[in-house]
């Protein structure tokens, strides 16, 4: 940007940034101090739309002892050998036993214990520091230490197994740490909580809910609780099951304190015989087909219960040989050698169980044993005597088939969900909890009634300038054409699937395009993969296919329609996208047509038209350049998201994606920029990335220059940021880390005037649901709630833009962090509602604004470019133990496609 005129010079290759134009080589861009931003409060509520009566899954909470004070204590637990004891299981057992044994010393106080190092009481304990000796009848310790690998005698007795049945002694020290007044919640509702204790008080109440569930033997996942009840299990294949439970948490809202309760689902390993699990997990019919290398990796650290002793153990691995060949030294009872050492005899696992346990092994005699011992002291158990313990979480990503099965089997219609929640609240009897009772806390048993509004659907423009008015959040292109159709001339079809007739596919695609106003020429070539090549690696198959394209065409095509054999999780997809978008710069569309019809082909056409620069539809106000506030002032809209990949791989790089609007005053066209960053880091750190030579290689420079070049030489003076995936505790980081980088990137281009910002966080991962009071259907699309259940002071609201066709709709929760642009409540809600209708891939309103959805798609698609697992395994062997491997960078997009909506 020029400092006087504010003009951006054209950058011919945005993927290789150049220094800011019109600045002398020895002069750095002039920067001003970064302004300090703070989260704003609510400025008002909206009034647009028709009124609607709603219910929400919040239950009103009354507090009859608001002056109660929680006393926080630190808990230290040590064993007889003075080692610190950690683990929620044994910690809860010890605290429960302590309360029973020392009730009088504790003045009869009841604890709210987090299972680790903190507990709370209502009112103080007799002393600020207390020490107790707790003796635990150690069935818990027994299953940790008993080892079938000792097998000292035919009856299995041993000194070690005897010790395992003895009690253990622990020292528990409780020290006063802080006070948390309950009234801070109600001061917070009024904005008078100067010490910011309200969140601490809510945390204590949530700990009480967790403790209640833990005593019932539930699996705890944050504030969600899952009972060991097979009626709640839903098999999704692969040895994995979904288990239905409940989320429960206390919330401070504009209407007061409430209990938010919702149906929740987590994934577990299907309990039962280990053999059955392995067969299902590897999708084989007989044990002889099991891949034992994969089985060993899958079973490690899982817990099993034995049929013959009813004991629990943790698997550390598998034996090297099958049961009938795996020997171990068995000590002989009351038999000593000449050197006074106990005599041993080598015996196979199979023989031991037959002779000394009276158990004849069947199929597992020929299979590896489970090793449940220690690394240097193996302990072998036959497979057929072991079953997986229930409620063991499965944290890997689900396959597309598993996810579809889970959605199909676990969805609930609104009325069914309401009944489930009301019944669950009555069964949990939170009013009877002793800690809550001391505070006089009671929970009403009916859902809270609230008021909402339904915004009018925005009018759209399609081909020939015709109006299109969505009905129930949906529209179609029957008897309609695309607004700005692209022309498809040089294109080819490549086929990695033996099932698809590409000749018929191309003919019907051309016919579909003609009906929608898109002129499609005959394809230059229909290229089939050689059947002999399908056994080669995915990368090699892709390279061979591109070799065929180069042989048949004299110059690159504008579009490649790629037919895959699998709809999702295809090994071809990543290498194919990389070679097209990064290496050769060719737009590509991957498809897997199980059923070719007009609806399917229209959906494909919408994506292709967007990628080639066409426009399927626009908002009517966008078409006439009359979007309020945006129409008169160059405004850039950003969507930001970070994808963290597999939850079980803590070393996998995170993918940060940002999309920015282009061609102002349009708000339907976007360009994406994607980078890798350190694993599990949520804040984007590459928005501004100065290199050693002073050149900015960050995301924002790309998007700012693209905005300028596509918007007739105008620079943005207003920027609206939509951020996805951050929690309330990270809101200030968005302002202090990410927004600061955006400002620095802007200044680095030679600008001193900072744009006005509106920053909005969008959340989908929450547990608030909305229901119609007098209808079994989901709330209508466009439903907005900005009172009663929202934050008591901050600026937030719920919006359900989409039409819920199955299950129960989940609204998006929008938090406005700052608003320098100065939208009215109605103005901002209408803009966000409209941005749910500009998603070019679909003919329905989507559940969250399109810029965020596009950022999510861009991160997901670019992450397929690289096999990070292979890269990390290679680098980990080269790096020292103390240093983390460098984060691998993503390949940059080719200049031919970098400005396209490749993510559509």
């Amino acid at each position: 940007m020029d400092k006087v005129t504010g003009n951006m010079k054209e950058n011919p290759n945005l993927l290789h940034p150049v220094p800011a134009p019109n600045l002398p080589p020895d002069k750095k861009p002039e920067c001003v101090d970064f302004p300090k931003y703070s989260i704003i409060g609510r400025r008002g509520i909206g009034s647009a739309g028709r009124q609607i009566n709603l219910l929400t899954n919040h239950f009103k909470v009354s507090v009859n002892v608001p002056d109660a004070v929680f006393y926080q204590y630190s808990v230290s637990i040590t064993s007889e050998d003075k080692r610190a004891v950690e683990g929620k299981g044994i910690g809860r057992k010890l605290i429960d036993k302590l309360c029973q044994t020392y009730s009088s010393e504790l003045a009869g106080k009841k604890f709210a214990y987090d299972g680790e190092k903190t507990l709370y009481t209502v009112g103080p304990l007799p002393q600020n520091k207390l020490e107790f000796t707790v003796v635990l009848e150690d069935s818990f310790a027994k299953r940790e230490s008993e080892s079938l690998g000792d097998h000292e005698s035919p009856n299995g007795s041993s000194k070690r197994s005897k010790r395992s049945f003895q009690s253990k002694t622990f020292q528990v020290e409780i020290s006063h740490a802080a006070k948390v007044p309950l009234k801070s919640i109600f001061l917070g509702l009024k904005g008078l909580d100067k010490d910011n204790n309200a969140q601490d008080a809510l945390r204590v109440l949530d700990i009480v809910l967790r403790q209640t569930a833990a005593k019932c033997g539930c699996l705890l996942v944050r504030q969600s609780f899952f009972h060991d009840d097979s009626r709640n299990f839903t098999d999704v294949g692969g040895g994995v099951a979904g288990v239905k439970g409940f989320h429960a948490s206390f919330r401070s809202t504009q209407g007061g304190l409430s209990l938010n309760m919702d149906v929740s689902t987590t994934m577990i390993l299907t309990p039962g015989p280990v053999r059955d699990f392995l067969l299902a997990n590897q999708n084989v019919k007989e044990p002889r087909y099991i891949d034992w290398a994969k089985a060993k990796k899958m079973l490690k650290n899982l817990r099993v219960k034995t049929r013959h002793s009813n004991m629990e153990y943790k698997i550390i691995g598998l034996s090297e040989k099958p049961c009938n060949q795996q020997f171990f030294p068995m000590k002989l009872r009351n038999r000593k050698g000449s050197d006074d050492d106990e005599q041993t005899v080598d015996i196979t696992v199979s023989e031991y169980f037959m002779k000394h346990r009276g158990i004849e092994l069947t199929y597992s005699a020929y299979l590896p044993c489970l090793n449940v011992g220690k690394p240097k002291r193996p302990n072998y158990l036959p497979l057929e005597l072991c079953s997986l313990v229930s409620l063991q979480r499965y944290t890997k990503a689900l396959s597309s088939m598993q996810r579809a099965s889970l959605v199909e089997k676990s969805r609930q219609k609104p009325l069914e969900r309401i009944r489930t929640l009301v019944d669950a609240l009555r069964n949990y009897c939170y009013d009877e909890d002793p800690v809550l009772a001391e505070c006089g806390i009671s929970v009403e048993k009916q859902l809270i009634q609230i008021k909402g509004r339904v915004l009018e659907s925005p009018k759209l423009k399609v081909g020939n300038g015709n109006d299109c008015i969505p009905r129930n959040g949906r529209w179609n292109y029957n008897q309609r054409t695309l607004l700005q159709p692209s022309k498809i001339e040089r294109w080819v079809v490549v086929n990695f699937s033996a099932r698809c007739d590409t000749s018929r596919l191309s003919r019907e695609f051309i016919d579909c395009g003609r009906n929608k106003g898109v002129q499609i020429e005959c394809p230059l070539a229909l290229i089939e993969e050689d059947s002999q090549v399908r056994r080669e690696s995915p990368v090699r198959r892709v390279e061979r296919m591109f070799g065929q394209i180069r042989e048949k065409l004299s110059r690159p095509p504008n579009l490649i329609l790629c037919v895959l054999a699998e709809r999702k999780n295809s090994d071809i997809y990543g290498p194919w996208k990389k070679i097209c978008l990064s290496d050769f710069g060719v737009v590509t569309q991957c498809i897997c047509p199980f059923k070719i019809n007009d609806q399917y082909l229209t959906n494909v056409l919408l994506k292709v038209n967007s990628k080639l620069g066409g426009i399927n539809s626009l908002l009517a106000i966008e078409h006439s350049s009359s979007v309020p506030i945006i129409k008169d002032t160059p405004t850039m809209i950003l969507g930001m998201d970070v994808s963290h990949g597999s939850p079980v791989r803590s070393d996998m790089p995170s993918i940060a994606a940002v999309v920015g609007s282009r061609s102002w005053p349009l708000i339907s066209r976007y360009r994406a920029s994607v980078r890798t960053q350190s694993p599990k880091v949520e804040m984007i750190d590459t928005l501004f990335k100065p290199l050693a030579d002073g050149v900015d290689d960050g995301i924002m420079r790309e998007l700012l220059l693209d905005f300028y070049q596509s918007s007739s030489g105008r620079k943005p003076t207003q920027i609206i940021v939509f951020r996805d995936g951050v929690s309330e505790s990270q809101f200030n980081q968005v302002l202090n880390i990410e927004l600061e980088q955006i400002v620095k990137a802007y200044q680095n281009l030679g600008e001193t005037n900072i744009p006005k910002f509106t920053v909005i966080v969008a959340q989908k991962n929450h547990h608030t649901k909305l229901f119609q009071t007098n209808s079994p259907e989901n709330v209508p699309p466009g439903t907005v709630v900005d009172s009663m259940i929202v934050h008591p002071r901050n600026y937030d609201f719920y919006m359900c833009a989409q039409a819920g066709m199955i299950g129960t709709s989940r609204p998006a929760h929008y938090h406005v962090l700052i608003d320098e642009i100065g939208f009215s409540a109605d103005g901002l809600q209408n803009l966000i509602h409209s941005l749910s209708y500009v998603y070019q891939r679909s003919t329905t309103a989507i559940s969250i604004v399109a810029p965020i959805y596009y950022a999510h798609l861009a991160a997901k698609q670019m992450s397929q470019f690289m096999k990070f697992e292979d890269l990390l395994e290679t680098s980990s062997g080269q790096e020292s133990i103390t240093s983390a491997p460098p984060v691998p960078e993503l390949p940059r997009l080719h200049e031919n496609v970098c400005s396209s909506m490749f993510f559509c």
Side-chain angles (χ1 to χ4, degrees):
M1 295 182 189
D2 187 279
K3 289 169 49 178
V4 177
T5 63
N7 291 327
M8 289 186 180
K9 304 293 185 181
E10 182 176 355
N11 182 1
N13 188 351
L14 299 182
L15 294 182
H16 302 280
V18 297
N22 287 353
L23 291 176
D26 59 345
K27 185 176 180 180
K28 295 182 179 180
E30 183 178 345
C31 295
V32 298
D33 292 336
F34 176 72
K36 297 299 179 183
Y37 294 103
S38 57
I39 298 174
I40 63 173
R42 189 178 305 278
R43 295 175 178 173
I45 62 174
S47 59
R50 63 178 176 87
Q51 296 288 319
I52 185 172
N53 294 320
L54 301 170
L55 296 172
T56 182
N57 59 335
H58 287 236
F59 299 85
K60 185 175 178 58
V61 176
S62 301
V63 181
N64 296 327
V65 189
D67 292 329
V69 177
F70 293 113
Y71 280 71
Q72 178 181 330
Y73 293 88
S74 299
V75 179
S76 174
I77 303 174
T78 54
S79 59
E80 293 170 297
D81 55 4
K82 306 301 181 184
R83 289 188 301 178
V85 175
E86 297 180 354
K88 293 183 179 181
I90 194 168
R92 293 189 190 279
K93 289 177 180 289
L94 283 167
I95 294 301
D96 287 345
K97 185 65 180 293
L98 185 150
C99 291
Q100 297 170 11
T101 308
Y102 297 99
S103 179
S104 58
E105 289 87 342
L106 298 171
K109 290 292 182 185
K110 302 299 182 182
F111 292 163
Y113 178 50
D114 69 355
E116 296 180 340
K117 297 183 178 181
T118 308
L119 61 78
Y120 300 87
T121 64
V122 181
L125 294 174
Q127 300 177 36
N128 284 341
K129 186 173 182 179
L130 297 167
E131 294 184 5
F132 302 96
T133 299
V134 181
V135 179
L136 201 60
E137 298 297 332
D138 204 10
S139 61
F140 182 87
K142 179 177 68 173
R143 73 167 178 263
E144 292 294 320
S145 60
E146 185 190 284
S147 173
L148 290 178
D150 289 330
H151 304 317
E152 283 84 350
S153 67
N155 62 13
S157 63
S158 70
K159 291 182 179 179
R160 183 174 184 187
S161 63
K162 286 180 180 177
R163 283 200 303 270
S164 70
F165 284 90
Q166 294 177 352
S167 302
K168 284 195 173 184
T169 302
F170 300 88
Q171 296 297 318
V172 180
E173 183 180 290
I174 300 175
S175 306
H176 179 258
K179 295 180 183 179
V180 182
L182 184 60
K183 67 179 180 182
S184 60
I185 294 175
F186 304 98
L187 292 175
L189 296 175
K190 301 174 183 177
L192 302 176
D193 179 26
K194 297 180 181 179
D195 298 327
N196 295 317
N197 284 327
Q199 286 303 315
D200 292 333
L202 289 171
R203 191 175 302 114
V204 177
L205 296 179
D206 284 346
I207 287 173
V208 175
L209 300 179
R210 287 175 59 84
Q211 178 175 265
T212 301
K215 289 180 178 179
C216 297
C218 291
L219 167 66
L220 309 183
V221 183
R222 295 180 292 277
Q223 284 302 125
S224 294
F225 321 128
F226 305 92
H227 287 272
D228 186 8
D229 185 344
S230 59
R231 293 174 297 179
N232 296 328
F233 296 173
T234 300
D235 180 60
V236 298
V240 180
V243 54
K244 185 176 73 173
F246 296 95
H247 166 92
S249 63
F250 287 95
R251 308 283 297 177
S252 282
T253 69
Q254 199 177 80
L257 185 62
S258 70
L259 177 67
N260 177 210
M261 200 160 180
D262 192 22
V263 176
S264 184
T265 301
T266 195
M267 308 312 299
I268 62 170
L269 299 171
T270 304
V274 175
R275 171 183 178 270
D276 294 351
F277 167 75
L278 290 176
L279 294 178
N281 182 252
Q282 299 192 15
N283 194 27
V284 294
K285 294 183 178 181
E286 297 180 29
R288 58 178 172 166
Y289 298 120
I290 292 175
D291 183 331
W292 291 105
K294 289 183 180 179
K296 181 179 179 180
K297 187 176 181 181
M298 186 71 223
L299 292 173
K300 188 174 182 181
N301 295 326
L302 298 186
R303 290 179 291 119
V304 292
K305 178 176 281 189
T306 57
R307 189 181 75 201
H308 63 288
S309 66
N310 202 36
M311 298 297 297
E312 281 190 27
Y313 301 90
K314 184 169 74 173
I315 301 172
I316 67 167
L318 299 176
S319 63
E320 295 181 358
K321 298 178 180 179
C323 284
N324 60 358
Q325 300 177 28
Q326 182 64 54
F327 285 87
F328 70 92
M330 185 181 76
K331 297 176 183 178
L332 299 177
R333 185 182 181 187
N334 299 325
R335 299 273 296 274
K336 295 187 178 181
S338 57
D339 56 357
D340 208 33
D341 289 338
E342 291 184 338
Q343 286 187 330
T344 63
V345 60
D346 286 345
I347 187 172
T348 66
V349 176
S350 180
E351 184 181 2
Y352 167 79
F353 275 94
M354 181 182 294
K355 290 183 177 181
H356 302 299
R357 289 298 179 96
I359 300 173
E360 183 176 358
L361 302 181
T362 55
Y363 66 85
S364 68
Y366 309 97
L367 302 178
C369 308
L370 300 180
N371 185 357
V372 297
K374 305 291 183 182
K376 295 183 179 180
R377 192 186 183 105
N379 174 14
Y380 298 122
L381 292 174
L383 206 69
E384 68 186 79
L385 301 183
C386 299
S387 292
L388 288 180
V389 174
S390 190
L391 296 183
Q392 298 190 75
R393 287 193 72 197
Y394 179 80
T395 55
K396 295 182 180 180
L398 296 180
S399 68
S400 57
M401 294 293 289
Q402 288 174 322
R403 185 171 296 279
S405 176
L406 178 65
V407 171
E408 175 68 27
K409 296 176 181 178
S410 62
R411 62 194 183 197
Q412 287 181 304
K413 283 292 189 179
L415 289 183
E416 182 186 356
R417 185 173 289 248
I418 290 174
R419 285 194 295 269
T420 302
L421 293 176
V422 172
D423 290 345
L425 182 63
R426 289 171 177 164
N427 292 334
Y428 273 105
C429 302
Y430 288 127
D431 295 353
E432 299 176 9
D433 183 274
V435 177
L436 297 183
E438 279 193 81
C439 303
I441 289 180
S442 60
V443 183
E444 291 189 4
K445 305 302 186 289
Q446 298 298 324
L447 278 68
I448 291 177
Q449 297 188 26
I450 58 174
K451 298 286 187 182
R453 293 173 290 111
V454 181
L455 303 181
E456 185 178 353
S457 299
K459 185 186 297 184
L460 303 177
K461 285 287 185 180
V462 293
N464 300 318
N466 294 328
D467 291 337
C468 175
I469 301 176
R471 305 293 182 189
N472 196 34
R474 309 174 75 87
W475 64 99
N476 58 58
Y477 284 96
N478 296 337
Q479 310 301 319
R480 295 188 179 112
T481 58
L482 307 188
L483 181 62
Q484 291 183 15
S486 54
K487 188 175 182 180
I488 304 176
E489 295 179 309
R490 294 184 52 80
W491 68 291
V492 297
V493 181
V494 299
N495 188 12
F496 288 97
S497 171
R499 297 189 305 265
C500 184
D501 180 354
T502 54
S503 178
R504 177 196 164 205
L505 171 68
S506 61
R507 288 196 306 272
E508 297 199 13
F509 185 59
I510 291 171
D511 290 341
C512 179
R514 184 183 304 112
N515 295 333
K516 305 300 182 291
V518 180
Q519 183 178 341
I520 305 177
E521 302 293 337
C522 290
L524 299 176
L526 304 176
I527 304 175
E528 302 288 332
E529 183 183 38
D530 188 339
S531 60
Q532 300 300 318
V533 177
R534 293 193 180 115
R535 300 189 180 195
E536 298 186 11
S537 70
V539 172
R540 184 62 181 148
R541 290 172 65 188
V542 166
E543 290 173 346
R544 285 183 177 274
M545 183 65 78
F546 249 86
Q548 291 190 65
I549 294 175
R550 285 194 293 267
E551 288 176 4
K552 293 179 180 293
L553 303 182
S554 59
R555 55 193 176 97
N558 302 121
L559 169 70
I560 303 177
L561 199 61
C562 175
V563 183
L564 300 177
E566 297 170 297
R567 186 163 174 251
K568 291 185 178 180
N569 301 322
S570 170
D571 291 336
I572 295 292
Y573 183 85
W576 178 259
K577 285 288 186 178
K578 178 182 179 297
I579 200 169
C580 287
L581 298 179
S582 181
D583 298 345
F584 289 94
V586 180
V587 170
T588 182
Q589 177 62 50
C590 293
I591 60 174
C592 182
F594 288 110
K595 184 177 181 181
I596 300 175
N597 54 30
D598 185 70
Q599 181 180 352
Y600 178 84
L601 293 173
T602 298
N603 289 337
V604 172
L605 191 65
L606 294 178
K607 298 176 184 180
V608 168
N609 190 54
S610 297
K611 291 178 179 182
L612 293 176
I615 298 176
N616 301 327
S617 64
L618 290 177
L619 300 168
I621 55 174
E622 181 184 16
H623 187 258
S624 60
S625 300
S626 57
V627 181
I629 297 185
I630 293 175
K631 62 178 180 178
D632 299 322
T633 307
T635 303
M636 185 179 195
I637 299 176
L638 301 176
M640 301 165 58
D641 188 25
V642 177
S643 172
H644 298 296
S646 173
V648 296
R649 287 294 301 269
S650 60
D651 55 348
M652 290 281 287
S654 294
I655 308 291
V658 183
V659 301
S661 61
R662 58 198 314 266
S663 305
W664 174 83
L666 297 183
I667 59 175
S668 295
R669 299 293 298 171
Y670 293 85
R671 168 186 172 150
S673 183
V674 186
R675 302 284 194 279
T676 53
Q677 59 185 40
S678 298
K680 309 306 178 188
V681 173
E682 181 58 46
M683 291 300 113
I684 302 176
D685 58 13
T686 51
L687 295 168
F688 175 63
K689 187 180 179 181
L691 302 178
D693 58 1
V695 173
D696 175 17
D697 190 37
I699 289 173
M700 282 308 303
R701 179 184 176 93
E702 276 187 41
L703 300 181
L704 286 168
L705 290 174
D706 182 73
F707 180 92
Y708 172 82
Q709 294 169 1
S710 64
S711 303
S712 304
R714 304 294 296 273
K715 65 185 189 316
T717 55
Q718 296 178 159
I719 298 180
I720 303 171
V721 180
F722 288 100
R723 181 63 161 93
D724 185 34
V726 296
S727 63
E728 292 182 33
S729 62
Q730 297 171 311
F731 286 176
N732 281 313
Q733 295 180 55
V734 172
L735 299 181
N736 297 327
I737 297 176
E738 295 181 340
L739 190 55
E740 179 177 359
Q741 291 182 74
I742 295 174
V743 171
K744 286 181 177 179
Y746 197 86
Q747 292 172 335
N748 189 261
L749 288 169
E751 282 296 314
T752 57
N753 296 323
I754 299 175
K756 292 180 179 180
F757 286 96
T758 293
V759 179
I760 303 161
V761 170
Q763 294 176 334
K764 288 287 287 182
N765 190 24
H766 62 84
H767 289 277
T768 293
K769 300 292 192 299
L770 304 175
F771 309 93
Q772 294 195 65
T773 54
N774 298 312
S775 172
E777 302 301 325
N778 274 304
V779 296
T783 298
V784 177
V785 173
D786 58 2
S787 63
M788 283 296 290
I789 58 171
V790 295
H791 194 280
R793 298 180 315 282
N794 294 348
Y795 189 178
D796 68 323
F797 57 90
Y798 294 91
M799 179 180 291
C800 196
Q802 79 279 17
M805 307 306 291
I806 57 175
T808 302
S809 297
R810 175 183 296 179
H813 192 186
Y814 292 99
H815 303 260
V816 185
L817 304 189
I818 60 172
D819 182 24
E820 295 179 323
I821 297 176
F823 286 96
S824 66
D826 283 330
L828 187 59
Q829 289 169 10
N830 276 311
L831 174 64
I832 288 175
H833 187 221
S834 296
L835 285 171
S836 300
Y837 282 79
V838 302
Y839 186 57
Q840 295 294 300
R841 289 166 48 115
S842 175
T843 55
T844 63
I846 55 177
S847 60
I848 207 160
V849 290
I852 283 179
Y853 216 125
Y854 285 146
H856 175 74
L857 288 174
K860 182 179 179 181
Q861 190 165 137
M862 292 289 284
S863 68
Q864 301 291 322
F865 276 26
M866 302 172 72
K867 287 289 185 182
F868 287 118
E869 295 91 340
D870 298 340
L871 287 170
L872 290 169
E873 287 172 4
T874 302
S875 62
S876 62
Q878 300 171 347
E879 297 292 321
S880 66
I881 296 176
T882 56
S883 63
V887 177
E889 290 191 6
L890 285 170
R892 300 294 176 90
L893 294 174
H894 193 281
E895 61 181 343
N896 291 349
V897 296
C898 64
S899 295
S900 72
M901 293 178 68
F902 69 89
F903 42 82
C904 272

